[in-house]
């Protein structure tokens, strides 16, 4: 059981920032990733539809064999975490609570900021998760959908970008927050620009980093962790599936994960199941 | 079940730094704390003896009713975590793995320092926990027993203290570590002096802070967390038991936990069980 991979599911590329943290913090673990790029973004879709897609990816990975499932997508976590966790016999983790817990751990002045997509901010999942734990917090939330576009269009290093980010995040500086949750899995890609905009006195909370910390906690708790010795006997592996265009997916994944080669397998939706159709060039 | 307190056990005062984090990060939770001050320190005792004491405190708290047990003591964790976790039906957490995981999460240059008591350093539990997870780390360990004395003798603010700490921790600065684990529950009390000695570029890892983060993770995972609304219906409580001198215990606990009043109940060892004998003045 412990030699099985950890499964990651996401609407597209975003969850790769969570997978990247798995490679960094848990190098002995194998991973298997599903990015539903053909149906991205999930944000504007009805909750029931998102839940259905999350179940399709979950069933696909369960059939491959996984020891733990990470819903590496804020919208997917909000829509389906509770239901999937209750239904599965393996541990299931989402990205919202780890970020919330880390912000509570870090804040000294109890003023916490959250940036995310419009859907996540409207759903107030972060605000609820935070206030359920500690009532006397002040939570400032802001949708920054243009940040997703900047990342997707590979404009993070552009001349104009820093100005846009500075302008957008100024209210958090003015309101004196001391912890800012990056509540969208795309945002760690532009972490440098965000830190530059808010200054060193605001601690950035990367949901991906914190999610993998919790993955590690639960793997240890359930005796499912692989040690360095295990990895010598059975080397760790990484496999990626997408409903999108495999070569484009491979290009982004290599870039974000700092890898020379990556195995990406093409999938399609048939009725309400996902099936494998093709492999990418290595 | 979820309205039961979280149990904390320790050889004496040290675990109060972990309990303090529970009050900060999880204000809706009730706590019940047992400090075995009459038999402190555990460090020099044979492993089997420590295990026996941990079981005595565990059985005492189980009889009171707890939903989770935290072994808030490095020596106790090394001696008994595995056995107690396997035997109990409630979640059991120690202080060693949370600190190790946080150091792996924080380090960028893969050079990690550990300071602890002589027993903990000799046992190499931190080094093992770190290298099991990530093999290509360099771990620098150092026993700092005099730091425990400084805290116990209330000499943290003394003129000479900063010089002693600077001198002792210089090797970590020279070796270029970027994360330093405070592997003894006394050390967060002198966090300011330690940070001053190593400079702002070394991130201090407080096992107590990280342990409560994991408590929060597991409470949520098992559906055992209390929300702000729960705390309105059934206000959270804090009760302390000690085999040591109650008024001295109450004085230290009030100071460390920043509380005006604290309820401390006297206990004694009878054969191999712990029994309540008396209450402190409030």
């Amino acid at each position: 059981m412990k030699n099985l991979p950890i499964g990651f599911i996401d609407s597209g590329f975003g969850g790769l920032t969570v997978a990247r943290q798995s490679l960094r913090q848990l190098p002995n673990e194998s991973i298997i990733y599903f990015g539903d790029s053909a149906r991205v973004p999930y944000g504007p879709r009805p909750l029931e539809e998102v839940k259905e897609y999350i179940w399709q990816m979950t069933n696909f990975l369960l059939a491959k064999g996984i020891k733990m499932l990470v819903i590496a997508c804020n919208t997917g976590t909000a829509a389906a975490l509770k239901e999937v966790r209750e239904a599965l016999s393996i541990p299931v983790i989402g990205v919202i609570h780890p970020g919330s817990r880390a912000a509570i751990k870090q804040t000294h002045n109890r003023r916490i900021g959250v940036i995310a997509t419009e859907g996540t901010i409207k759903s107030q999942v972060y605000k609820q998760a935070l206030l359920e734990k500690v009532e006397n917090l002040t939570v400032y939330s802001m949708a920054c959908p243009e940040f997703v576009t900047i990342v997707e269009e590979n404009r993070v290093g552009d001349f104009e970008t820093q100005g846009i980010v500075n302008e957008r995040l100024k209210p958090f500086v003015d309101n004196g927050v001391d912890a800012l949750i990056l509540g969208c899995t795309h945002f760690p890609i532009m972490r440098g620009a965000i830190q530059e905009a808010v200054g060193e006195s605001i601690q950035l909370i990367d949901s991906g980093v914190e999610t993998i910390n919790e993955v590690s906690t639960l793997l240890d708790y359930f005796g499912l962790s692989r040690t360095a010795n295990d990895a010598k006997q059975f080397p760790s592996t990484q496999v990626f599936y997408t409903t999108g265009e495999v070569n484009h997916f491979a290009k982004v994944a290599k870039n974000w994960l700092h890898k020379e080669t990556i195995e990406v397998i093409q999938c399609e939706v048939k009725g309400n199941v996902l099936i494998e159709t093709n492999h990418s060039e290595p």
Side-chain angles (χ1 to χ4, degrees), chain A:
Chain A
M1 180 75 177
K2 79 173 174 179
N3 286 321
L4 290 177
I6 303 166
F8 292 84
I9 57 179
D10 180 46
S11 58
F13 301 131
L16 289 170
T17 63
V18 187
R20 177 169 72 174
Q21 283 298 324
S22 182
L23 301 182
R24 192 178 79 86
Q25 296 181 48
L26 302 171
N28 306 320
E29 302 296 340
S30 295
I31 67 170
I32 176 171
Y33 183 100
F34 201 110
D36 192 12
S37 303
R39 299 186 287 195
V40 78
Y42 281 2
R45 295 180 189 273
L47 215 70
E48 282 307 310
E49 195 178 345
V50 173
K51 211 187 269 183
E52 165 66 19
Y53 296 172
I54 292 288
W55 270 115
Q56 289 173 6
M57 291 190 281
T58 300
N59 290 330
F60 182 90
L61 293 190
L62 284 176
K64 298 281 175 198
I66 50 174
K67 63 179 173 182
M68 182 179 274
L69 177 70
V70 180
I71 305 180
C73 166
N74 283 277
T75 313
T77 298
L81 174 66
K82 195 165 175 284
E83 184 178 305
V84 176
R85 179 176 281 174
E86 276 166 14
L88 265 50
S89 61
I90 55 168
V92 181
I93 301 194
V95 288
I96 291 166
H97 281 85
S100 306
R101 264 191 286 271
I104 289 171
K105 193 177 76 179
Q106 293 291 351
T107 186
H108 292 286
N109 69 8
R110 298 180 179 267
R111 302 167 85 82
I112 295 173
V114 184
I115 52 175
T117 61
E118 245 161 350
T120 304
I121 295 298
K122 267 195 196 142
S123 73
Q124 302 207 309
V125 279
Y126 275 99
K127 195 168 178 177
Q128 277 167 19
L130 289 163
L131 296 180
E132 256 185 16
K133 290 263 172 213
V134 181
E135 208 182 17
N136 64 341
L137 290 173
T138 311
V139 181
Y140 298 92
S141 306
M142 187 191 282
C144 299
E146 72 275 38
F147 289 8
V148 178
T149 319
I150 290 171
V151 171
E152 297 245 318
E153 293 178 358
N154 205 15
R155 293 194 286 115
V156 176
D158 280 13
F159 178 72
E160 303 79 16
T161 298
Q162 190 65 55
I164 299 171
V165 177
N166 290 351
E167 170 81 23
R168 204 79 180 87
L169 299 182
K170 195 169 170 294
F172 292 108
V173 181
D174 294 343
N175 285 321
V177 310
D178 69 354
L180 177 63
I181 299 174
L182 310 183
C184 167
T185 51
H186 281 68
F187 294 172
I189 298 296
M190 52 192 293
R191 185 184 179 121
I194 294 171
Q195 190 79 68
E196 173 73 24
V198 298
E200 290 298 325
S201 60
I202 297 184
Q203 190 108 27
L204 301 187
I205 311 292
D206 177 338
S207 297
V209 172
E210 303 305 331
T211 299
I212 296 305
N213 189 46
E214 298 209 358
V215 165
S216 180
T217 299
L218 290 169
L219 286 177
D220 281 356
Y221 187 83
F222 291 109
L224 291 173
S225 292
R226 268 164 54 100
T227 64
N229 268 339
D230 294 326
K232 265 172 210 150
Q233 276 191 280
F234 304 98
S236 58
T237 57
Q238 294 101 39
V239 188
F240 298 82
Y241 297 88
T242 184
T243 52
E245 208 278 300
V246 283
N247 291 319
H248 180 56
F249 190 95
K251 194 181 151 198
V252 174
K254 280 188 232 174
N255 187 7
W256 288 18
L257 303 176
H258 313 296
K259 289 210 155 259
E260 298 276 307
T261 59
I262 258 172
E263 188 188 4
V264 185
I265 299 165
Q266 178 79 65
C267 291
E268 266 177 32
V269 194
K270 274 267 166 80
N272 61 354
V273 291
L274 293 162
I275 53 161
E276 254 171 86
T277 53
N278 212 343
H279 281 234
S280 70
E281 296 150 29

